[in-house]
Amino acid sequence: MAYDKFTVLKSAAVPMPIENVDTDQIIPARFLKATERKGFGDNLFRDWRYNTDGTPKADFVLNNPIYSGEILVAGKNFGSGSSREHAAWAIYDYGFRCVVSSFFADIFKNNSLNIGILPVQVSPEFLHKIFTAIEADPKTELVIDLPAQTITITATGDSMQFDINSYKKHNMTNGFDDIDYLQAMKEDIQAFAAKSMY
Amino acid sequence: MSKIPATLFDKVWDSHAVRKIEDGPDVLFIDRHFIHEVTSPVAFLGLESRGLKVMFPEKTFATADHNTPTINQHLPVQDPLSANQLKALETNTAKYGISHWGLGNPRNGIVHVVGPENGITLPGMTIVCGDSHTSTHGAFGAIAFGIGTSEVEMVLSSQCIMQQKPKKMRITVTGTTGKGITPKDVTLYIISRLTAAGATGYFVEYAGEVFEKMSMEGRMTVCNMSIEMGARGGIIAPDETTFAYIKGREKAPQGQAWDNAVAYWKTLKTEEGATFDMEYTFEASEIEPMITYGTNPGMGLGITQRIPTAQAAGGSEASYAKSLQYMGFSEEEPMLGKKVDYVFIGSCTNGRIEDFRAFASIVKGRRKADHVTAWIVPGSHIVEQQIKEEGILDILTAAGFQLRQPGCSACLAMNDDKVPAGKYAVSTSNRNFEGRQGPGSRTLLASPLVAAAAAVTGVVTDPRELI
C-alpha cells in the first residue's frame, strides 16, 4: 500500500523500557480475524492496556496522559515473534510513525518499512539517554531526520546517526513501495521464471 | 582463478536472485508461496485496489488452519469473524485460480505440515508464507521464511520478494543425544543458549551428527523454531533421508524428472572451507529434556534444573521480574513437580506422526491425570489417519484421551482452544509469550515426551523416569 512520505519528524515520545516486546503483546491473536486493514489501533497492546472488564490499566504508559507523540521508544528486541503485519498496522493506526529501539526483530522491521513506519535502531547507550531525558521531562521532543539519518534529543542536544539502506530510504522519503518497483520489472521476472526447474 | 567455497544458503539464494540492488535488497524469485486465511485477505484487497493479477497462481497453495475448530469440522464455523476469514480465502483463491485445501478437504491441515507431506516442499526451493514458522521448510534444504501481508501482496503480484540477504550462521551439534532427548529438546537447548534474539539478522545452517541422524519430522521441528531465536530461517543440507521422505509424494517429481532433481539436490551442501559470519558448536550429551519457565522461548532450562536468578539470566532485571511474575514463578524454584492444568500436543512444531508416536510411548499402559485437560491435535488429516492406522488412537483412548481434528488449535488460540487465565499448560507448540494460548494463560514449552509425562502425572515430570 502506498503511504505518506516520511522526511523529518519532530515529536514527543512514549517510553516503554521493556525488553523482548513480542507481536502477541502488540496485537493479541484474537484480534487478527478482520479481513480489512482498519481499526487495529484500538487493540494495540490490548492486554497490557486494558483490564479484562475493558477499563484502562492506570499504570500502563499509553493510559498515562503525560506521555504523547508519534514516536514509541522501546527496549531491545522489539517486535519479536510472529510475521503478522497486523502488529505494525496497530502501531501505525494508533498514531505512531516511528519506533526507536536498540534492536528490532527482522520481520517486524521489514513490515514497518513496508507500511511507512520508520524503525530507528540506536545504541543501548543512546536508548538509555532517551529514557533518561523523557523521565526528566515527558514533553522532551525527539527529531528524526530521515534524509540526514540522525536522531536528536532536543532537550540535551545529544544526536546519533542511524542506518537505513538507500533503497528503503528512497522509498520512505518518496512514499513508494516495493510493489511499484516489482511491477516495473515484470519482463525480467517472466524470463527468470521460464528457466526455473520448479 | 580459484572459486570461493560456497555455503548451501548462498547456492540457493544466489540462484534465485533476479536482480541485486546496490545498497538495497535483492529481488528474490519465489518457487512456492503458501497462504492461509489470516494474513492473506488484506493482500488480496491490495491487489484489487491496484488492479493487479496473481502472476503465477500455480505456484501458490492455500490451506485453512489458524481459525479452524478442532471438533465438529463438518458443522458451520460458529465464530462469525473466523467464518468470514475462511470464506474470504475460499472466494479469493477461486477468483484467482489458486489451489485451496479448505476445511473438509482431505488434504487440509496446518500449512507447514501439509506442504512437506504432499511433496510441495522440495530441496533448493525458495518458499515464503505470511507466517513466521515458514522456517519449517528449511528442513528440506530450502530457503524458507515468514513474511508480512504487504510481502504476500508482492509475491502474489510478481512472484518475487525484495529482501536484504541475511548474514550466515552455522550451528553444529556434535555427538549423540541421550535417552529421552527429542529434536524439540535440541532446539529449545540451542535457543536457551543463544537467547530469543541471538540469531536476529542471520540465516542458520544446522550441521553435525545430530542433524544428520535426525528424521525429517525432527529436522522440521528444529527449523520451525529457528525464528524463536530471531533467525530468518534455518536450513539443513538435503541427504538420503530427505530424498526417501519426498519420493512418491503426490506433487514430488516422478520418473526422469525425479532423477534429474536428485542429481541437482545432491549438489546442495556447504563446501569445505566456506565461511560463516558466526559459528556455534554444542555437545549433544549436554542436552537434557528441556522446559521453559518464562515468557519467551529463550527462557528455557533442563527439566531437573532450577529457575535462574535475574543476574544469572542476564538482560534487564525489570523485564525478568515482570516475566516471572506473569508466570507465578520465583527465582531458584525447581520446575519438577509443578502442577499442570493443560497439555497440548500439536502445532506446526510437533503435530507430525513422529510426535504422536513419542507421546503414545509414554502414555501406553498409563492413565491421564484426572485434573489435566489434554488437547491432542494432529497437524493434518494425513497425520490423523496415520494415528488411527498405527494403533496410536487405541492407546490414547485406553488412557482416557480424546483425539481432536487438525488445525493450529491452542498454539495461538485463534479458535476455541484457549487455556484459561492463570492456568498452566505444558505445550509442544513454539511460543510461550504472555497470553499466547489465551489471555492470562501460562505456557511451558516442551517436547512430546515431557508433555506426555505431564499428562499422566499431572505435574512437570522428567520423562526419562517413565521410559
Side-chain angles (χ1 to χ4, degrees):
Chain A
M1 95 131 213
Y3 47 78
D4 297 337
K5 296 174 184 181
F6 191 117
T7 48
V8 179
L9 173 64
K10 183 175 182 184
S11 169
V14 177
M16 192 179 289
I18 303 168
E19 296 182 349
N20 301 310
V21 173
D22 61 72
T23 48
D24 282 61
Q25 307 322 311
I26 299 171
I27 187 89
R30 62 188 187 280
F31 300 113
L32 308 187
K33 296 187 186 207
T35 51
E36 290 178 63
R37 199 199 131 166
K38 59 182 184 194
F40 286 96
D42 293 343
N43 294 311
L44 175 68
F45 294 113
R46 177 80 203 190
D47 294 334
W48 286 356
R49 196 167 145 200
Y50 296 104
N51 294 302
T52 46
D53 65 1
T55 54
K57 291 185 182 179
D59 60 352
F60 185 61
V61 67
L62 294 192
N63 298 326
N64 187 339
I66 68 168
Y67 298 110
S68 64
E70 295 177 58
I71 302 169
L72 177 67
V73 187
K76 76 172 180 199
N77 198 27
F78 186 82
S80 59
S82 169
S83 66
R84 59 181 74 155
E85 197 169 286
H86 311 67
W89 298 342
I91 289 171
Y92 190 98
D93 191 50
Y94 182 84
F96 291 119
R97 295 297 315 276
C98 174
V99 184
V100 180
S101 177
S102 58
F103 201 82
F104 289 97
D106 274 336
I107 305 180
F108 177 81
K109 194 195 282 184
N110 278 346
N111 285 343
S112 296
L113 287 165
N114 283 336
I115 68 156
I117 297 172
L118 182 67
V120 173
Q121 187 161 324
V122 297
S123 66
E125 295 74 27
F126 196 83
L127 187 69
H128 183 70
K129 281 183 187 170
I130 299 174
F131 284 135
T132 308
I134 298 174
E135 204 175 320
D137 176 9
K139 300 279 176 244
T140 290
E141 288 187 318
L142 302 178
V143 180
I144 315 285
D145 185 333
L146 177 57
Q149 295 179 223
T150 56
I151 173 170
T152 306
I153 308 169
T154 49
T156 63
D158 282 305
S159 188
M160 172 176 174
Q161 288 280 136
F162 62 85
D163 283 338
I164 180 169
N165 75 50
S166 54
Y167 168 83
K168 284 291 181 191
K169 178 175 166 179
H170 178 77
N171 274 0
M172 289 282 295
T173 49
N174 290 285
F176 297 158
D177 71 10
D178 289 349
I179 294 176
D180 300 329
Y181 186 95
L182 290 168
Q183 286 304 308
M185 60 176 288
K186 276 210 151 168
E187 282 180 18
D188 284 5
I189 297 170
Q190 285 284 5
F192 192 93
K195 294 182 295 179
S196 166
M197 74 174 275
Y198 301 110
Chain B
M1 199 176 85
S2 66
K3 207 167 143 281
I4 300 167
T7 67
L8 163 60
F9 176 77
D10 286 327
K11 289 178 186 181
V12 179
W13 183 283
D14 294 343
S15 68
H16 286 80
V18 181
R19 183 181 292 176
K20 287 175 181 282
I21 300 170
E22 201 182 335
D23 189 28
D26 290 350
V27 177
L28 200 66
F29 188 79
I30 299 302
D31 296 312
R32 290 288 180 269
H33 184 198
F34 292 112
I35 60 173
H36 60 86
E37 75 277 18
V38 179
T39 56
S40 67
V42 172
F44 282 109
L45 283 182
L47 283 187
E48 214 156 290
S49 70
R50 292 180 195 242
L52 297 174
K53 292 194 164 43
V54 176
M55 194 172 183
F56 293 103
E58 71 278 13
K59 293 183 190 293
T60 300
F61 296 83
T63 186
D65 54 11
H66 284 61
N67 272 301
T68 56
T70 58
I71 49 169
N72 294 325
Q73 288 186 348
H74 62 291
L75 297 177
V77 173
Q78 293 298 307
D79 180 337
L81 291 175
S82 295
N84 191 37
Q85 255 189 357
L86 294 165
K87 183 71 190 164
L89 185 66
E90 194 181 321
T91 310
N92 287 325
T93 50
K95 178 175 173 185
Y96 292 100
I98 294 167
S99 141
H100 173 225
W101 294 341
L103 212 52
N105 187 302
R107 298 287 187 216
N108 175 253
I110 304 174
V111 61
H112 310 307
V113 177
V114 302
E117 77 185 359
N118 289 284
I120 301 170
T121 300
L122 299 173
M125 282 183 163
T126 47
I127 301 173
V128 295
C129 172
D131 186 278
S132 59
H133 293 104
T134 309
S135 59
T136 311
H137 307 268
F140 290 79
I143 289 182
F145 53 89
I147 57 176
T149 297
S150 297
E151 294 168 319
V152 171
E153 187 183 337
M154 233 180 262
V155 181
L156 289 171
S157 60
S158 69
Q159 205 57 39
C160 286
I161 191 166
M162 303 191 65
Q163 290 284 297
Q164 200 77 26
K165 192 175 180 182
K167 291 184 282 186
K168 289 163 288 180
M169 177 186 291
R170 180 161 59 187
I171 296 176
T172 306
V173 182
T174 57
T176 310
T177 50
K179 184 177 94 166
I181 306 304
T182 70
K184 182 63 164 288
D185 300 303
V186 175
T187 190
L188 283 174
Y189 176 82
I190 293 170
I191 300 164
S192 76
R193 297 294 298 269
L194 264 62
T195 79
T200 302
Y202 292 90
F203 211 94
V204 175
E205 178 173 350
Y206 297 99
E209 281 168 75
V210 166
F211 304 110
E212 287 162 15
K213 287 181 197 153
M214 206 177 262
S215 67
M216 288 313 295
E217 286 87 350
R219 293 179 192 182
M220 283 187 253
T221 300
V222 170
C223 288
N224 175 278
M225 290 198 65
S226 304
I227 183 76
E228 307 310 340
M229 50 187 178
R232 285 315 303 272
I235 193 167
I236 295 175
D239 59 9
E240 293 302 329
T241 304
T242 321
F243 310 146
Y245 179 96
I246 298 167
K247 196 172 171 72
R249 293 192 185 259
E250 190 183 332
K251 294 189 183 294
Q254 318 281 336
Q256 188 59 47
W258 170 260
D259 295 337
N260 294 346
V262 172
Y264 168 60
W265 295 343
K266 284 182 174 172
T267 69
L268 296 175
K269 50 182 70 159
T270 292
E271 289 161 12
E272 192 73 30
T275 56
F276 289 81
D277 300 288
M278 186 73 91
E279 292 240 30
Y280 290 99
T281 300
F282 299 108
E283 175 54 50
S285 62
E286 310 253 302
I287 305 174
E288 266 200 284
M290 296 289 294
I291 194 156
T292 63
Y293 61 90
T295 54
N296 74 58
M299 300 172 80
L301 41 65
I303 198 161
T304 64
Q305 295 168 23
R306 285 168 182 269
I307 295 171
T309 60
Q311 208 172 11
S316 140
E317 292 202 9
S319 297
Y320 190 75
K322 182 178 185 300
S323 178
L324 288 196
Q325 189 192 14
Y326 180 84
M327 293 302 293
F329 293 158
S330 309
E331 295 173 45
E332 300 191 87
E333 271 188 335
M335 289 302 290
L336 285 175
K338 287 198 178 297
K339 188 177 169 226
V340 173
D341 308 297
Y342 283 75
V343 168
F344 169 55
I345 172 161
S347 85
C348 59
T349 314
N350 284 115
R352 299 180 182 80
I353 188 60
E354 187 178 277
D355 304 310
F356 296 94
R357 288 179 192 141
F359 190 84
S361 73
I362 297 272
V363 162
K364 192 174 184 179
R366 296 190 170 92
R367 288 287 305 172
K368 180 182 87 64
D370 288 339
H371 71 271
V372 169
T373 302
W375 287 322
I376 301 181
V377 188
S380 71
H381 283 299
I382 292 177
V383 173
E384 182 184 27
Q385 199 55 37
Q386 287 172 306
I387 289 172
K388 291 174 180 168
E389 284 166 7
E390 294 187 12
I392 294 171
L393 180 59
D394 298 333
I395 294 170
L396 297 174
T397 308
F401 294 98
Q402 283 181 326
L403 187 66
R404 296 173 84 90
Q405 291 173 299
C408 295
S409 181
C411 174
L412 83 169
M414 277 195 75
N415 67 354
D416 292 330
D417 305 344
K418 292 177 175 60
V419 175
K423 298 293 183 187
Y424 290 93
V426 170
S427 178
T428 64
S429 53
N430 39 53
R431 285 184 178 145
N432 51 351
F433 296 152
E434 286 185 27
R436 173 78 179 179
Q437 297 194 272
S441 62
R442 293 158 160 172
T443 301
L444 315 177
L445 299 175
S447 76
L449 292 179
V450 172
V456 297
T457 62
V459 295
V460 174
T461 301
D462 188 336
R464 291 173 295 194
E465 291 171 10
L466 303 182
I467 292 172

